[in-house]
Amino acid sequence: MTLRQQFSLLTGLLVVILLAGNLLVMVMNGRDYFQQQLNARAYDAATSLALSMSQVAADDEVQLTRLMDVLFDRGFFAEIELQRVDDEPIYRRSRDTPGDLPAPRWFMHWVGLEMIPAEADVTRQWQRLGTVRVVSHSDFAYRDLWAMVRAELIWFSWVLVITLVLLQLLLNWLFRPLVRVERQALAICERQWQVQTEIPRPRELRRMVLAMNKMVQKLQSIFTEQSAMTEQLRAESFNDNVSGLLNRRGFDQRLQHILQRGEEHSGVLMLLQLQNLSELNQSQGRQLVDDVLHMLGAGLQRCLQEYPAAFTGRRSGSDFALYIPCADQAQADALLQQMFSQLATSVLSRRKELIFHLGGVFLQGVQDDPVQALSCADAALRQAQRSPEGRAQLYRSDSSSGIQEWTAGEWRELLTGVLEAGALQLQFLPVISNRNRRLLQFEVFSRIVWQGETLSAARFWPMVEQHQLAARYDASIVAQVLALLEQHAPQKGIRYCINISPASVLDEQFHQWLVELFRASPALAAHIALEVPESALIGIETALARLAIQLKPFGVTLGVDQVGTGSMAFAYLQRLPLDYIRIDGSFNRGLHQAQDHRFFIQSMVQIAHNLDLLILGEGIEEADDVSVLRQTGVDGMSGYFFSKPLATLADAHAWQLPADDD
């Protein structure tokens, strides 16, 4: 029962008790008054009638009867009787009329007027002739009392109604600050820091609102300080403070995770070197060189904006590295030449007297050695420096000639054919709860099966985005997951997480497709989770928030993948309506040997839990990393240490955590 209901009930009960007591006292006093007046009137009538009869002869029965009739006909008396000394009595009594009662029987029974017969002697001189007995009629009293009670009940009812209405108005005014406090508390749960500007006048409510505002400001300050500290830790550990890019350690770490995580990769690794940076430092000074490096870092980031999964870093004073996902060697060569052209016509133009070269190597497979990959890219860079024709060179080896390549038109034909044929193959990777070692989620991976060959998303997705088919592919994956869940009922409380492209988030048609899909399967929608990479949030935050609002009625949850790889401040965790975040695998690989990684993850756990977000770790492959990651307090984890992606949904539902890993 709410406080408002309790106040209303207690107030109504108090008013009813007061009015009932007042009514009871009024009825009792009225009964005593009427009873006293009726008995007194009967006594007066008996005395008067006896005096009148004393003047009539005792044997004049007609005259005596007339005297009694005159008094009886007034209707105020129920009984008049003359009992003569030596003769039969003369009666005058009213008749009972049950059909025309002056008041309800229960009321008459409850009030119970007691009419006392009044007697007076009829005498002549010293001789007693008889006795007159008079009883007052009570109908008038019952009728008047009942009318009074009805009037009082009507009045009391209006008083009760008016009292309750005024009470509700008063409570609305008094509880208005409490409602705002409730909204303020709920807003905190929704990661919104609201401060009340309307301070109530009542002292108790005023102190409560001021205390709540102070708490909100304190929580916001704690969250801001914690986020800033975590961002500073990430920047100091993995970023170069001059160029604003990843430092050598940060770049090598992410590259190693991509090349050795056990999943197929496909991309181009580029090395960029400025040749005359040292001469520029000697002639122009360090500050100018720092400005050039900062300008180059900003230029590289602009060039990679259209490739959300790409990343770049500064490996040494004049050496930079880039990694861009691509489909095949032909696209890798095109990307290398495109990057050289963009830099040569912008931040590294000849007018700025800056000479640079680009070397790259196309990487595709399940496992690659990062050291070997960098050596091949460095060899291509040396070839570019020796080539008189150009300054961008892609490394080519004899083994690369066996890699199947398609033209852009062939890729488009392949991808549209897959969509039309529904040749997408889904795999499911279990996510284990850190609390009870039970299933928490399934990550959904997509593969293409075409002409007997299986292509991973790392190979075909760059071409999907290049041909602007991302929205159709993402919608197709969601539709296929829902269709599989129709065939195999989802497990209770399990979410199926689908990573969607930033291009899909920006596509309004994709929003409509999702709404239609979830509207057709509302019971299954609550088992779907959509996630986007953190590195893409800069350009899609507004569209992502709009998509979350559209999907909220269906129970679809929203998450952020690859946390730690983006450049946005962690304040987005507060702004977006998220349900979970997933720490990038590059931070979890070798966690037992990296104290700064552990501290970063622990800080993210505190931030996430303060915002009621689940925090998950991915890419776990070693038992030592599992043990340390569990100690950080994450809510769940996944990786090849627990299981490889399962080929069918039936296998996923039948999967159980091995006893050795429990």
Side-chain angles (χ1 to χ4, degrees), residues 109-130:
H109 179 73
W110 174 56
V111 173
L113 293 174
E114 183 181 357
M115 298 293 97
I116 301 175
E119 297 181 350
D121 292 334
V122 180
T123 61
R124 181 177 295 167
Q125 296 180 356
W126 298 104
Q127 183 181 3
R128 179 172 172 272
L129 301 179

Side-chain angles (χ1 to χ4, degrees), residues 565-617:
T565 62
S567 57
M568 283 188 66
F570 292 123
Y572 74 83
L573 297 174
Q574 173 188 338
R575 297 191 299 267
L576 289 173
L578 302 175
D579 296 279
Y580 68 93
I581 59 176
R582 201 184 306 275
I583 300 294
D584 186 69
S586 60
F587 292 93
N588 302 319
R589 181 184 293 273
L591 181 62
H592 64 285
Q593 297 177 341
Q595 185 66 27
D596 53 348
H597 285 195
R598 181 176 180 177
F599 183 75
F600 171 76
I601 295 176
Q602 287 176 333
S603 300
M604 291 303 302
V605 167
Q606 293 178 2
I607 293 174
H609 287 173
N610 288 338
L611 298 175
D612 291 333
L613 297 175
L614 288 179
I615 181 167
L616 312 170

Side-chain angles (χ1 to χ4, degrees), residues 424-427 444-448 455-458 460-461 477:
L424 275 172
Q425 183 184 80
L426 302 183
Q427 296 182 351
V444 181
F445 298 148
S446 60
R447 303 285 187 265
I448 280 182
L455 306 179
S456 68
F460 70 83
W461 198 259
I477 293 172

Side-chain angles (χ1 to χ4, degrees), residues 287-343:
Q287 182 60 46
L288 178 62
V289 171
D290 287 348
D291 293 341
V292 170
L293 293 175
H294 179 75
M295 180 180 59
L296 177 57
L300 289 173
Q301 288 179 332
R302 285 194 301 271
C303 293
L304 297 182
Q305 281 182 353
E306 56 181 305
Y307 309 105
F311 56 94
T312 180
R314 181 187 178 197
R315 294 183 53 80
S316 63
S318 60
D319 294 337
F320 293 80
L322 304 88
Y323 180 85
I324 305 176
C326 61
D328 52 28
Q329 190 162 279
Q331 189 186 17
D333 196 5
L335 287 173
L336 185 68
Q337 301 301 328
Q338 177 184 346
M339 186 62 60
F340 179 83
S341 176
Q342 288 181 352
L343 293 175

Side-chain angles (χ1 to χ4, degrees), residues 38-184:
L38 290 176
N39 289 332
R41 183 164 57 182
Y43 179 76
D44 293 341
T47 303
S48 175
L49 183 57
L51 183 60
S52 299
M53 287 182 175
S54 299
Q55 307 300 322
V56 180
D59 55 353
D60 192 352
E61 184 172 341
V62 175
Q63 187 64 25
L64 293 175
T65 301
R66 285 181 178 177
L67 291 174
M68 294 174 63
D69 289 342
V70 170
L71 187 62
F72 185 77
D73 290 342
R74 297 179 181 176
F76 296 130
F77 303 101
E79 179 181 345
I80 299 177
E81 178 184 354
L82 173 60
Q83 180 65 50
R84 290 178 290 188
V85 177
D86 55 354
D87 205 347
E88 294 293 327
I90 301 175
Y91 298 102
R92 290 293 184 271
R93 296 178 180 174
S94 62
R95 292 178 295 178
D96 295 333
T97 55
D100 189 18
L101 296 175
R105 290 187 182 276
W106 62 267
F107 180 77
M108 296 171 62
H109 179 73
W110 174 56
V111 173
L113 293 174
E114 183 181 357
M115 298 293 97
I116 301 175
E119 297 181 350
D121 292 334
V122 180
T123 61
R124 181 177 295 167
Q125 296 180 356
W126 298 104
Q127 183 181 3
R128 179 172 172 272
L129 301 179
T131 302
V132 174
R133 183 172 178 271
V134 178
V135 178
S136 291
H137 206 306
S138 60
D139 284 1
F140 301 100
Y142 283 125
R143 184 173 56 250
D144 292 345
L145 277 176
W146 177 242
M148 292 171 57
V149 168
R150 284 190 302 175
E152 289 294 327
L153 286 175
I154 294 174
W155 167 248
F156 290 164
S157 299
W158 277 108
V159 170
L160 179 61
V161 170
I162 294 174
T163 300
L164 293 178
V165 170
L166 293 177
L167 177 64
Q168 295 303 315
L169 295 177
L170 178 62
L171 292 178
N172 286 337
W173 178 73
L174 289 176
F175 285 175
R176 195 174 300 166
L178 296 180
V179 173
R180 290 197 295 266
V181 168
E182 180 184 5
R183 293 174 181 171
Q184 192 176 23

Side-chain angles (χ1 to χ4, degrees), residues 246-259 269 311 315 321 370 374 586:
L246 292 173
N247 57 21
R248 184 189 187 100
R249 180 189 178 196
F251 183 88
D252 290 353
Q253 217 170 244
R254 290 187 61 180
L255 181 65
Q256 181 184 11
H257 174 66
I258 290 175
L259 299 185
L269 173 64
F311 56 94
R315 294 183 53 80
L374 288 168
S586 60

Side-chain angles (χ1 to χ4, degrees), residues 241-429:
N241 58 358
V242 177
S243 64
L245 306 177
L246 292 173
N247 57 21
R248 184 189 187 100
R249 180 189 178 196
F251 183 88
D252 290 353
Q253 217 170 244
R254 290 187 61 180
L255 181 65
Q256 181 184 11
H257 174 66
I258 290 175
L259 299 185
Q260 296 187 334
R261 62 184 173 181
E263 300 176 14
E264 189 173 7
H265 56 266
S266 181
V268 57
L269 173 64
M270 304 180 191
L271 291 182
L272 181 151
Q273 188 177 72
L274 295 175
Q275 274 196 332
N276 57 340
L277 195 64
S278 58
E279 292 82 354
L280 189 64
N281 188 17
Q282 294 177 0
S283 61
Q284 301 292 337
R286 180 178 178 181
Q287 182 60 46
L288 178 62
V289 171
D290 287 348
D291 293 341
V292 170
L293 293 175
H294 179 75
M295 180 180 59
L296 177 57
L300 289 173
Q301 288 179 332
R302 285 194 301 271
C303 293
L304 297 182
Q305 281 182 353
E306 56 181 305
Y307 309 105
F311 56 94
T312 180
R314 181 187 178 197
R315 294 183 53 80
S316 63
S318 60
D319 294 337
F320 293 80
L322 304 88
Y323 180 85
I324 305 176
C326 61
D328 52 28
Q329 190 162 279
Q331 189 186 17
D333 196 5
L335 287 173
L336 185 68
Q337 301 301 328
Q338 177 184 346
M339 186 62 60
F340 179 83
S341 176
Q342 288 181 352
L343 293 175
T345 56
S346 57
V347 294
L348 298 179
S349 64
R350 293 181 179 273
R351 290 177 298 175
K352 298 181 180 179
E353 300 180 355
L354 295 171
I355 302 173
F356 74 101
H357 298 85
L358 264 179
V361 58
F362 174 65
L363 304 171
Q364 187 178 90
V366 177
Q367 291 283 345
D368 270 322
D369 184 6
V371 176
Q372 181 65 26
L374 288 168
S375 297
C376 292
D378 186 68
L381 178 63
R382 304 298 167 227
Q383 293 176 10
Q385 291 172 341
R386 293 192 298 268
S387 173
E389 293 85 6
R391 297 171 182 166
Q393 182 69 42
L394 185 67
Y395 178 83
R396 298 184 184 275
S397 64
D398 295 336
S399 60
S400 65
S401 60
I403 299 177
Q404 185 176 4
E405 297 183 9
W406 290 289
T407 64
E410 290 173 336
W411 267 112
R412 183 172 183 84
E413 181 180 356
L414 184 150
L415 295 174
T416 54
V418 167
L419 285 175
E420 294 172 358
L424 275 172
Q425 183 184 80
L426 302 183
Q427 296 182 351
F428 304 88
L429 182 67

